[in-house]
Amino acid sequence: MVIRRYTKMEYGSPDEMVFGESKYPVAYGLGQTVGAGVVVPEINFAPRPGAEKNPESLRREYVDYITKDILDRSITLGFPAVQLENEHIFQMVNEPQKYAKPVVAGQKELMQKYYDEYSIALSIRHTLADPRLAEEGLRPGMDKKHNYPEKCIQSIEVAAENGADLLSIESTGGKEMADYAVLRQDIRGWLFGIGYLGSIDMEWLWPQIVDIAKKNKVRAGGDTNCAGANTSMFMAGGYLDRDIPRTFAAITRAIASARTLVAWECGATGPDKDCGYEGPIVKAIAGKPTSQEGKDSQCAHADLMGNLIAQTCDLWSNESVEYHPEFGGSSVQCWLGSIGYEAALMNMAKQLKQDKILRDLYMATDRYRSPEAFILAYDNAYKIGMAIAEHGNDIYMRAKAAGITAARLIEDENKSGKLRLSKHEQDMLRKIITDLSALPDEESKFLEQCLRAYKDVPMFNPKNYDL
């Protein structure tokens, strides 16, 4: 498969970007179109502990309880379109024919019934787990103990063949290096793990997902660096947390965007995954629709950009919520209400031609709440996208350029007095700029340097990346 690199921006300016619209809308599922003028709520869920005790109990939890609750509440509240997201649990990847197939088929059968009866636009994203272990081997034939690389691909095929409309994954290539680097606040190690190794791994994985999607006439959506950049973001935390500087987390997000872009370069159409906070950057480059999560994902986690991240979304998600009762109904019904009404607000703003005003209100609310929110504001996301596209054919140089651009943006805004940073945050920012600026411009020299410096990192095996 030919990988199409992005060497120019699909948007002419950052102001062209707004929620509910993308350059390349995508149609799939039961009457669903994303990125064509409306924002669609995307409800994500998890089964209760114990539901996985056998295939039938898992099917009942996902289909008879969770999916039915979502569909009933969607009709009750009058939402015209809803997307479901099912993030597969371990059993569904480890034994997909036994555990995943009945769930996927049952959900789609029930959705078809509601679509036929109520004409609500419906679709379901199946996000496959990536169980591969770096220490056992990431490629087929390497993991003799679990066969996880083979099972990962098999689970994608089972989902596509039995009712998925959209395929996504939270791939984990390069995570062993990223984990090592984030604990040591080593930006070179992070660039190597996520910007370089992660991109190589996605170039192996995503052509296969795209082929499976085409074979089954469904859509390949996109990836997310949840295992990497979100780990940084959550470790940086809020104003009470001190585990790692928020400036470090912000730069890792920028670098991760160059990696997430690879899925679309391999032929995926979008929308990408909700937990990919790098969505504004990759949308600025490629013009494909994105799903985002923020203030209505408090059921799963807190972040410092709950409003801002809605600025350019096409799907609005709750991240994930465990199925359980709440005062207003089941948890999936309650959180569907939150994201559905937020999407309705965005869509009314579009009808009244006030959408860019609402976009800017979302953005301004959190722009200076943290360095990571600042670089993801759509004007800055666009600048980082330009840096990536300028070096689009070089997976190393574009990741490095994304990191340096983000760091300079933060530095300039701090000097202006608008983005306040503690001395610790400023010290880390200066170190990042120094370290990234000292790296070579040639991929071969960078690779040689990193293979020598990180040869003893636990679980790192160059053979996982054909190195």
Side-chain angles (χ1 to χ4, degrees):
M1 174 178 287
V2 176
I3 297 177
R4 179 211 168 191
R5 298 295 188 193
Y6 288 98
T7 55
K8 63 178 183 178
M9 304 292 282
E10 291 291 338
Y11 283 98
S13 74
D15 190 55
E16 294 178 17
M17 297 168 60
V18 67
F19 53 76
E21 295 178 31
S22 64
K23 285 279 187 180
Y24 303 102
V26 183
Y28 55 89
L30 303 171
Q32 194 78 275
T33 302
V34 175
V38 296
V39 176
V40 177
E42 181 172 20
I43 181 75
N44 190 347
F45 40 78
R48 290 167 289 189
E52 76 288 355
K53 64 182 180 183
N54 61 61
E56 173 52 24
S57 63
L58 191 66
R59 187 211 64 79
R60 189 164 55 243
E61 180 85 346
Y62 271 125
V63 179
D64 298 348
Y65 301 151
I66 295 175
T67 302
K68 187 174 187 308
D69 277 7
I70 291 170
L71 297 174
D72 282 344
R73 186 59 63 95
S74 299
I75 302 303
T76 297
L77 296 181
F79 295 154
V82 170
Q83 176 160 300
L84 289 75
E85 181 185 6
N86 192 335
E87 292 185 340
H88 288 205
I89 63 173
F90 172 75
Q91 288 79 4
M92 298 169 76
V93 178
N94 196 45
E95 297 181 90
Q97 289 287 350
K98 188 175 177 182
Y99 280 90
K101 183 177 178 179
V103 172
V104 178
Q107 288 172 316
K108 193 58 175 292
E109 181 181 359
L110 193 58
M111 291 167 59
Q112 183 71 54
K113 179 182 175 185
Y114 278 72
Y115 173 72
D116 292 341
E117 187 166 351
Y118 300 104
S119 299
I120 180 176
L122 293 170
S123 53
I124 185 164
R125 180 202 302 266
H126 282 275
T127 297
L128 291 307
D130 184 356
R132 296 176 298 155
L133 300 171
E135 64 270 33
E136 301 294 342
L138 299 182
R139 302 293 174 86
M142 294 179 72
D143 182 354
K144 306 294 186 186
K145 188 185 298 182
H146 310 287
N147 297 320
Y148 283 154
E150 291 84 353
K151 287 181 178 178
C152 181
I153 299 301
Q154 184 188 4
S155 71
I156 298 169
E157 292 172 336
V158 169
E161 292 167 356
N162 289 280
D165 297 315
L166 189 65
L167 301 173
S168 288
I169 191 169
E170 298 181 2
S171 64
T172 58
K175 179 173 170 53
E176 72 282 12
M177 186 60 63
D179 288 348
Y180 176 90
V182 74
L183 289 174
R184 293 159 179 78
Q185 294 156 42
D186 173 2
I187 200 64
R188 181 185 63 175
W190 177 275
L191 175 61
F192 183 50
I194 297 302
Y196 192 72
L197 300 179
S199 295
I200 291 174
D201 184 62
M202 285 183 63
E203 289 173 359
W204 170 80
L205 180 62
W206 270 93
Q208 299 177 77
I209 298 176
V210 171
D211 284 346
I212 292 169
K214 287 182 177 177
K215 179 183 173 184
N216 291 280
K217 296 182 172 51
V218 300
R219 293 285 185 179
D223 211 310
T224 163
N225 193 222
C226 189
N230 284 4
T231 299
S232 292
M233 181 175 75
F234 297 140
M235 288 181 69
Y239 294 107
L240 285 176
D241 302 292
R242 297 288 187 273
D243 288 342
I244 68 169
R246 286 190 291 280
T247 42
F248 184 86
I251 309 309
T252 66
R253 179 68 66 190
I255 291 171
S257 61
R259 169 200 173 278
T260 295
L261 187 65
V262 173
W264 289 352
E265 292 178 321
C266 292
T269 61
D272 70 348
K273 269 280 294 169
D274 55 344
C275 57
Y277 280 72
E278 58 272 21
I281 299 174
V282 294
K283 181 173 180 174
I285 299 170
K288 294 181 179 179
T290 63
S291 181
Q292 302 291 171
E293 63 189 41
K295 61 184 176 183
D296 295 311
S297 63
Q298 303 300 305
C299 48
H301 62 75
D303 60 55
L304 292 175
M305 60 192 101
N307 281 298
L308 179 142
I309 202 65
Q311 60 191 346
T312 58
C313 73
D314 298 287
L315 291 154
W316 185 238
S317 168
N318 67 312
E319 164 58 80
S320 186
V321 65
E322 182 190 276
Y323 185 66
H324 61 255
E326 296 185 358
F327 284 168
S330 67
S331 56
V332 292
Q333 292 178 317
C334 294
W335 289 93
L336 173 65
S338 295
I339 59 175
Y341 276 112
E342 193 67 33
L345 172 64
M346 295 187 220
N347 293 334
M348 181 51 65
K350 297 190 83 63
Q351 288 185 37
L352 299 176
K353 301 189 184 308
Q354 303 296 312
D355 49 345
K356 289 190 175 180
I357 293 176
L358 181 57
R359 174 198 65 185
D360 290 350
L361 287 171
Y362 281 142
M363 184 272 287
T365 302
D366 300 325
R367 183 180 179 90
Y368 295 116
R369 198 178 296 277
S370 75
E372 189 161 0
F374 175 70
I375 65 144
L376 292 176
Y378 67 87
D379 54 331
N380 291 327
Y382 189 89
K383 293 172 184 173
I384 296 169
M386 289 179 66
I388 293 171
E390 183 180 351
H391 301 278
N393 287 317
D394 187 326
I395 58 171
Y396 158 59
M397 281 299 293
R398 69 188 197 180
K400 175 185 168 185
I404 290 177
T405 301
R408 293 293 187 193
L409 287 168
I410 295 170
E411 182 183 48
D412 291 346
E413 205 73 352
N414 177 245
K415 286 179 179 176
S416 76
K418 293 179 180 177
L419 180 63
R420 299 175 63 183
L421 300 175
S422 67
K423 183 178 183 306
H424 181 50
E425 297 278 3
Q426 293 179 30
D427 289 346
M428 175 53 67
L429 184 62
R430 280 192 289 271
K431 183 178 186 306
I432 288 172
I433 292 173
T434 299
D435 289 351
L436 288 178
S437 299
L439 293 175
D441 288 338
E442 296 81 13
E443 177 184 331
S444 60
K445 290 183 179 178
F446 174 71
L447 177 59
E448 181 183 352
Q449 185 183 106
C450 289
L451 288 176
R452 186 171 57 250
Y454 302 114
K455 61 183 174 60
D456 295 325
V457 170
M459 298 183 286
F460 173 52
N461 180 0
K463 293 181 180 177
N464 281 331
Y465 308 97
D466 291 332
L467 297 175

Short mmCIF file of all heavy atoms in Angstrom, two decimals, residues 419-465:
data_model
loop_
_atom_site.label_atom_id
_atom_site.label_comp_id
_atom_site.label_asym_id
_atom_site.label_seq_id
_atom_site.Cartn_x
_atom_site.Cartn_y
_atom_site.Cartn_z
N LEU A 419 0.97 33.65 29.24
CA LEU A 419 0.96 32.26 29.70
C LEU A 419 1.93 32.15 30.87
O LEU A 419 3.14 32.19 30.69
CB LEU A 419 1.37 31.31 28.57
CG LEU A 419 1.41 29.82 28.91
CD1 LEU A 419 0.01 29.31 29.30
CD2 LEU A 419 1.96 29.01 27.74
N ARG A 420 1.40 32.03 32.06
CA ARG A 420 2.24 32.03 33.26
C ARG A 420 2.78 30.63 33.53
O ARG A 420 2.05 29.64 33.51
CB ARG A 420 1.44 32.55 34.44
CG ARG A 420 0.94 33.98 34.24
CD ARG A 420 0.05 34.43 35.38
NE ARG A 420 0.74 34.46 36.66
CZ ARG A 420 0.15 34.78 37.80
NH1 ARG A 420 -1.15 35.05 37.82
NH2 ARG A 420 0.84 34.80 38.92
N LEU A 421 4.08 30.57 33.80
CA LEU A 421 4.74 29.29 34.10
C LEU A 421 5.56 29.45 35.37
O LEU A 421 6.19 30.50 35.60
CB LEU A 421 5.68 28.88 32.95
CG LEU A 421 5.06 28.68 31.57
CD1 LEU A 421 6.17 28.41 30.56
CD2 LEU A 421 4.06 27.54 31.58
N SER A 422 5.60 28.40 36.17
CA SER A 422 6.45 28.41 37.35
C SER A 422 7.92 28.32 36.90
O SER A 422 8.22 28.00 35.74
CB SER A 422 6.12 27.22 38.26
OG SER A 422 6.48 26.01 37.60
N LYS A 423 8.84 28.59 37.82
CA LYS A 423 10.27 28.49 37.48
C LYS A 423 10.61 27.07 37.04
O LYS A 423 11.38 26.86 36.11
CB LYS A 423 11.13 28.90 38.67
CG LYS A 423 12.63 28.89 38.37
CD LYS A 423 13.45 29.34 39.53
CE LYS A 423 14.96 29.37 39.16
NZ LYS A 423 15.44 28.11 38.63
N HIS A 424 10.02 26.09 37.71
CA HIS A 424 10.25 24.69 37.36
C HIS A 424 9.79 24.42 35.92
O HIS A 424 10.50 23.76 35.15
CB HIS A 424 9.49 23.80 38.34
CG HIS A 424 9.67 22.33 38.11
ND1 HIS A 424 10.90 21.75 37.95
CD2 HIS A 424 8.75 21.34 37.99
CE1 HIS A 424 10.75 20.45 37.76
NE2 HIS A 424 9.46 20.16 37.76
N GLU A 425 8.63 24.96 35.57
CA GLU A 425 8.11 24.76 34.20
C GLU A 425 9.01 25.47 33.19
O GLU A 425 9.29 24.94 32.11
CB GLU A 425 6.68 25.31 34.10
CG GLU A 425 5.65 24.63 34.98
CD GLU A 425 5.11 23.34 34.36
OE1 GLU A 425 5.59 22.97 33.28
OE2 GLU A 425 4.23 22.73 34.98
N GLN A 426 9.48 26.67 33.53
CA GLN A 426 10.37 27.41 32.62
C GLN A 426 11.70 26.68 32.44
O GLN A 426 12.23 26.61 31.32
CB GLN A 426 10.61 28.81 33.17
CG GLN A 426 9.38 29.70 33.16
CD GLN A 426 9.68 31.08 33.75
OE1 GLN A 426 10.79 31.59 33.67
NE2 GLN A 426 8.68 31.68 34.35
N ASP A 427 12.24 26.14 33.53
CA ASP A 427 13.51 25.41 33.44
C ASP A 427 13.37 24.20 32.51
O ASP A 427 14.26 23.92 31.70
CB ASP A 427 13.95 24.96 34.83
CG ASP A 427 14.41 26.11 35.71
OD1 ASP A 427 14.64 27.21 35.16
OD2 ASP A 427 14.51 25.92 36.94
N MET A 428 12.25 23.49 32.67
CA MET A 428 12.04 22.33 31.80
C MET A 428 11.89 22.75 30.35
O MET A 428 12.43 22.10 29.44
CB MET A 428 10.79 21.56 32.27
CG MET A 428 10.40 20.39 31.36
SD MET A 428 11.75 19.21 31.02
CE MET A 428 12.01 18.50 32.65
N LEU A 429 11.20 23.85 30.12
CA LEU A 429 11.01 24.32 28.74
C LEU A 429 12.36 24.66 28.11
O LEU A 429 12.62 24.29 26.95
CB LEU A 429 10.09 25.54 28.73
CG LEU A 429 9.72 26.08 27.35
CD1 LEU A 429 8.95 25.04 26.55
CD2 LEU A 429 8.89 27.36 27.49
N ARG A 430 13.22 25.35 28.84
CA ARG A 430 14.55 25.69 28.30
C ARG A 430 15.35 24.41 28.01
O ARG A 430 16.06 24.33 26.99
CB ARG A 430 15.30 26.59 29.28
CG ARG A 430 14.88 28.06 29.22
CD ARG A 430 15.85 28.94 29.99
NE ARG A 430 15.72 28.74 31.43
CZ ARG A 430 14.87 29.42 32.21
NH1 ARG A 430 14.09 30.33 31.67
NH2 ARG A 430 14.80 29.19 33.50
N LYS A 431 15.26 23.44 28.89
CA LYS A 431 15.99 22.18 28.67
C LYS A 431 15.47 21.46 27.42
O LYS A 431 16.26 20.92 26.62
CB LYS A 431 15.83 21.27 29.89
CG LYS A 431 16.62 19.97 29.78
CD LYS A 431 16.49 19.13 31.03
CE LYS A 431 17.40 17.89 30.97
NZ LYS A 431 17.19 17.09 29.77
N ILE A 432 14.15 21.46 27.23
CA ILE A 432 13.58 20.81 26.05
C ILE A 432 14.07 21.49 24.77
O ILE A 432 14.48 20.83 23.81
CB ILE A 432 12.04 20.85 26.12
CG1 ILE A 432 11.54 19.87 27.20
CG2 ILE A 432 11.43 20.51 24.76
CD1 ILE A 432 10.05 20.00 27.47
N ILE A 433 14.05 22.81 24.76
CA ILE A 433 14.49 23.54 23.56
C ILE A 433 15.97 23.26 23.29
O ILE A 433 16.38 23.02 22.14
CB ILE A 433 14.24 25.05 23.74
CG1 ILE A 433 12.73 25.32 23.74
CG2 ILE A 433 14.92 25.85 22.62
CD1 ILE A 433 12.35 26.75 24.08
N THR A 434 16.77 23.25 24.34
CA THR A 434 18.20 22.95 24.18
C THR A 434 18.41 21.54 23.65
O THR A 434 19.18 21.31 22.71
CB THR A 434 18.92 23.11 25.53
OG1 THR A 434 18.78 24.46 25.98
CG2 THR A 434 20.40 22.78 25.39
N ASP A 435 17.71 20.59 24.25
CA ASP A 435 17.89 19.18 23.85
C ASP A 435 17.42 18.92 22.42
O ASP A 435 18.08 18.23 21.64
CB ASP A 435 17.13 18.26 24.82
CG ASP A 435 17.79 18.21 26.20
OD1 ASP A 435 18.90 18.75 26.34
OD2 ASP A 435 17.18 17.65 27.13
N LEU A 436 16.26 19.46 22.06
CA LEU A 436 15.74 19.22 20.71
C LEU A 436 16.61 19.94 19.67
O LEU A 436 16.87 19.41 18.58
CB LEU A 436 14.29 19.71 20.59
CG LEU A 436 13.23 18.87 21.32
CD1 LEU A 436 11.84 19.51 21.18
CD2 LEU A 436 13.19 17.43 20.81
N SER A 437 17.08 21.14 20.00
CA SER A 437 17.90 21.90 19.05
C SER A 437 19.24 21.22 18.81
O SER A 437 19.86 21.42 17.75
CB SER A 437 18.12 23.32 19.57
OG SER A 437 16.88 24.00 19.72
N ALA A 438 19.70 20.45 19.78
CA ALA A 438 21.01 19.79 19.66
C ALA A 438 20.94 18.51 18.83
O ALA A 438 21.99 17.94 18.47
CB ALA A 438 21.56 19.47 21.05
N LEU A 439 19.75 18.03 18.52
CA LEU A 439 19.61 16.78 17.78
C LEU A 439 20.02 16.97 16.32
O LEU A 439 19.84 18.06 15.75
CB LEU A 439 18.17 16.27 17.85
CG LEU A 439 17.68 15.82 19.23
CD1 LEU A 439 16.20 15.45 19.18
CD2 LEU A 439 18.51 14.63 19.74
N PRO A 440 20.56 15.92 15.69
CA PRO A 440 20.97 16.05 14.29
C PRO A 440 19.76 16.22 13.36
O PRO A 440 18.63 15.91 13.73
CB PRO A 440 21.67 14.72 14.02
CG PRO A 440 21.08 13.77 15.00
CD PRO A 440 20.80 14.58 16.23
N ASP A 441 20.02 16.71 12.16
CA ASP A 441 18.95 16.87 11.17
C ASP A 441 18.80 15.62 10.30
O ASP A 441 17.85 15.52 9.53
CB ASP A 441 19.24 18.08 10.27
CG ASP A 441 19.02 19.39 11.03
OD1 ASP A 441 18.30 19.38 12.03
OD2 ASP A 441 19.60 20.41 10.61
N GLU A 442 19.74 14.70 10.40
CA GLU A 442 19.67 13.49 9.57
C GLU A 442 19.08 12.34 10.38
O GLU A 442 19.52 12.05 11.50
CB GLU A 442 21.07 13.09 9.09
CG GLU A 442 21.73 14.09 8.17
CD GLU A 442 22.37 15.24 8.94
OE1 GLU A 442 22.51 15.12 10.18
OE2 GLU A 442 22.70 16.26 8.31
N GLU A 443 18.09 11.67 9.79
CA GLU A 443 17.43 10.54 10.47
C GLU A 443 18.44 9.45 10.84
O GLU A 443 18.37 8.89 11.93
CB GLU A 443 16.35 9.96 9.55
CG GLU A 443 15.66 8.73 10.12
CD GLU A 443 14.67 8.12 9.14
OE1 GLU A 443 14.12 8.86 8.32
OE2 GLU A 443 14.47 6.88 9.18
N SER A 444 19.37 9.16 9.94
CA SER A 444 20.33 8.07 10.18
C SER A 444 21.19 8.37 11.41
O SER A 444 21.47 7.47 12.21
CB SER A 444 21.19 7.85 8.95
OG SER A 444 21.91 9.03 8.63
N LYS A 445 21.60 9.62 11.57
CA LYS A 445 22.44 9.98 12.73
C LYS A 445 21.63 9.92 14.01
O LYS A 445 22.13 9.50 15.06
CB LYS A 445 23.03 11.38 12.53
CG LYS A 445 24.08 11.45 11.43
CD LYS A 445 24.67 12.85 11.33
CE LYS A 445 25.74 12.90 10.24
NZ LYS A 445 26.31 14.26 10.09
N PHE A 446 20.35 10.37 13.94
CA PHE A 446 19.49 10.29 15.12
C PHE A 446 19.27 8.84 15.53
O PHE A 446 19.35 8.49 16.71
CB PHE A 446 18.14 10.96 14.80
CG PHE A 446 17.10 10.82 15.88
CD1 PHE A 446 17.21 11.51 17.07
CD2 PHE A 446 16.00 9.98 15.70
CE1 PHE A 446 16.26 11.38 18.07
CE2 PHE A 446 15.03 9.85 16.69
CZ PHE A 446 15.17 10.56 17.88
N LEU A 447 19.00 7.99 14.54
CA LEU A 447 18.77 6.58 14.85
C LEU A 447 20.02 5.95 15.47
O LEU A 447 19.92 5.21 16.46
CB LEU A 447 18.37 5.84 13.56
CG LEU A 447 18.16 4.34 13.69
CD1 LEU A 447 17.07 4.02 14.71
CD2 LEU A 447 17.81 3.73 12.34
N GLU A 448 21.15 6.22 14.89
CA GLU A 448 22.40 5.66 15.43
C GLU A 448 22.63 6.12 16.86
O GLU A 448 22.98 5.32 17.73
CB GLU A 448 23.56 6.12 14.53
CG GLU A 448 24.92 5.59 14.96
CD GLU A 448 26.04 6.13 14.07
OE1 GLU A 448 25.73 6.79 13.06
OE2 GLU A 448 27.21 5.92 14.41
N GLN A 449 22.36 7.39 17.11
CA GLN A 449 22.53 7.95 18.45
C GLN A 449 21.59 7.27 19.45
O GLN A 449 22.00 6.91 20.56
CB GLN A 449 22.22 9.46 18.38
CG GLN A 449 22.44 10.23 19.63
CD GLN A 449 22.04 11.70 19.45
OE1 GLN A 449 21.02 12.13 19.96
NE2 GLN A 449 22.84 12.48 18.72
N CYS A 450 20.34 7.09 19.05
CA CYS A 450 19.34 6.53 19.97
C CYS A 450 19.55 5.03 20.20
O CYS A 450 19.36 4.54 21.33
CB CYS A 450 17.93 6.80 19.44
SG CYS A 450 17.45 8.54 19.55
N LEU A 451 19.89 4.31 19.16
CA LEU A 451 20.13 2.87 19.35
C LEU A 451 21.28 2.63 20.32
O LEU A 451 21.26 1.66 21.09
CB LEU A 451 20.42 2.21 18.00
CG LEU A 451 19.24 2.06 17.05
CD1 LEU A 451 19.69 1.47 15.71
CD2 LEU A 451 18.14 1.18 17.66
N ARG A 452 22.24 3.53 20.31
CA ARG A 452 23.37 3.40 21.23
C ARG A 452 22.96 3.84 22.64
O ARG A 452 23.27 3.16 23.63
CB ARG A 452 24.53 4.26 20.71
CG ARG A 452 25.82 4.10 21.52
CD ARG A 452 27.00 4.80 20.86
NE ARG A 452 26.77 6.22 20.63
CZ ARG A 452 26.59 6.79 19.45
NH1 ARG A 452 26.60 6.06 18.35
NH2 ARG A 452 26.39 8.10 19.32
N ALA A 453 22.22 4.94 22.74
CA ALA A 453 21.88 5.49 24.05
C ALA A 453 20.84 4.65 24.80
O ALA A 453 20.85 4.60 26.03
CB ALA A 453 21.37 6.92 23.88
N TYR A 454 19.95 4.01 24.05
CA TYR A 454 18.82 3.33 24.71
C TYR A 454 18.86 1.81 24.54
O TYR A 454 17.84 1.14 24.71
CB TYR A 454 17.50 3.89 24.15
CG TYR A 454 17.35 5.38 24.35
CD1 TYR A 454 17.34 6.25 23.26
CD2 TYR A 454 17.27 5.91 25.62
CE1 TYR A 454 17.23 7.62 23.44
CE2 TYR A 454 17.15 7.28 25.82
CZ TYR A 454 17.13 8.14 24.72
OH TYR A 454 17.03 9.50 24.92
N LYS A 455 20.02 1.27 24.23
CA LYS A 455 20.10 -0.17 23.96
C LYS A 455 19.75 -1.03 25.18
O LYS A 455 19.34 -2.18 25.04
CB LYS A 455 21.49 -0.55 23.46
CG LYS A 455 22.63 -0.26 24.42
CD LYS A 455 23.97 -0.61 23.77
CE LYS A 455 25.15 -0.20 24.62
NZ LYS A 455 25.18 -0.84 25.93
N ASP A 456 19.87 -0.46 26.37
CA ASP A 456 19.59 -1.23 27.58
C ASP A 456 18.24 -0.92 28.21
O ASP A 456 17.95 -1.37 29.33
CB ASP A 456 20.70 -0.99 28.62
CG ASP A 456 22.05 -1.50 28.14
OD1 ASP A 456 22.07 -2.54 27.44
OD2 ASP A 456 23.07 -0.86 28.45
N VAL A 457 17.41 -0.14 27.51
CA VAL A 457 16.07 0.15 28.04
C VAL A 457 15.26 -1.15 28.11
O VAL A 457 15.18 -1.88 27.12
CB VAL A 457 15.35 1.18 27.15
CG1 VAL A 457 13.87 1.31 27.55
CG2 VAL A 457 16.04 2.53 27.26
N PRO A 458 14.67 -1.44 29.27
CA PRO A 458 13.90 -2.69 29.40
C PRO A 458 12.81 -2.81 28.34
O PRO A 458 12.11 -1.83 28.06
CB PRO A 458 13.30 -2.57 30.81
CG PRO A 458 14.21 -1.64 31.53
CD PRO A 458 14.71 -0.67 30.52
N MET A 459 12.68 -3.96 27.77
CA MET A 459 11.65 -4.34 26.80
C MET A 459 11.88 -3.76 25.41
O MET A 459 11.15 -4.07 24.49
CB MET A 459 10.24 -3.96 27.28
CG MET A 459 9.83 -4.66 28.56
SD MET A 459 8.15 -4.27 29.07
CE MET A 459 8.36 -2.59 29.66
N PHE A 460 12.90 -2.89 25.24
CA PHE A 460 13.13 -2.33 23.90
C PHE A 460 13.89 -3.34 23.05
O PHE A 460 14.98 -3.77 23.40
CB PHE A 460 13.92 -1.02 23.99
CG PHE A 460 14.34 -0.49 22.64
CD1 PHE A 460 13.40 -0.34 21.62
CD2 PHE A 460 15.67 -0.20 22.38
CE1 PHE A 460 13.79 0.12 20.37
CE2 PHE A 460 16.07 0.27 21.13
CZ PHE A 460 15.12 0.43 20.12
N ASN A 461 13.28 -3.68 21.92
CA ASN A 461 13.88 -4.62 20.98
C ASN A 461 13.78 -4.01 19.58
O ASN A 461 12.69 -3.90 19.02
CB ASN A 461 13.13 -5.96 21.01
CG ASN A 461 13.71 -6.97 20.04
OD1 ASN A 461 14.69 -6.68 19.34
ND2 ASN A 461 13.12 -8.15 20.00
N PRO A 462 14.90 -3.59 18.99
CA PRO A 462 14.85 -2.97 17.66
C PRO A 462 14.16 -3.84 16.62
O PRO A 462 13.61 -3.31 15.64
CB PRO A 462 16.33 -2.77 17.33
CG PRO A 462 17.02 -2.67 18.66
CD PRO A 462 16.27 -3.62 19.55
N LYS A 463 14.19 -5.16 16.79
CA LYS A 463 13.55 -6.05 15.81
C LYS A 463 12.04 -5.82 15.74
O LYS A 463 11.41 -6.15 14.73
CB LYS A 463 13.84 -7.50 16.15
CG LYS A 463 15.31 -7.89 15.98
CD LYS A 463 15.54 -9.35 16.33
CE LYS A 463 17.03 -9.72 16.15
NZ LYS A 463 17.28 -11.13 16.55
N ASN A 464 11.44 -5.28 16.80
CA ASN A 464 10.00 -4.97 16.76
C ASN A 464 9.68 -3.93 15.70
O ASN A 464 8.52 -3.79 15.28
CB ASN A 464 9.53 -4.43 18.12
CG ASN A 464 9.33 -5.55 19.14
OD1 ASN A 464 9.00 -6.67 18.78
ND2 ASN A 464 9.51 -5.23 20.41
N TYR A 465 10.71 -3.19 15.28
CA TYR A 465 10.51 -2.10 14.33
C TYR A 465 11.35 -2.31 13.07
O TYR A 465 11.64 -1.35 12.34
CB TYR A 465 10.88 -0.77 15.01
CG TYR A 465 10.15 -0.60 16.32
CD1 TYR A 465 10.77 -0.92 17.53
CD2 TYR A 465 8.82 -0.19 16.36
CE1 TYR A 465 10.09 -0.82 18.74
CE2 TYR A 465 8.13 -0.08 17.57
CZ TYR A 465 8.78 -0.40 18.76
OH TYR A 465 8.10 -0.29 19.96
#
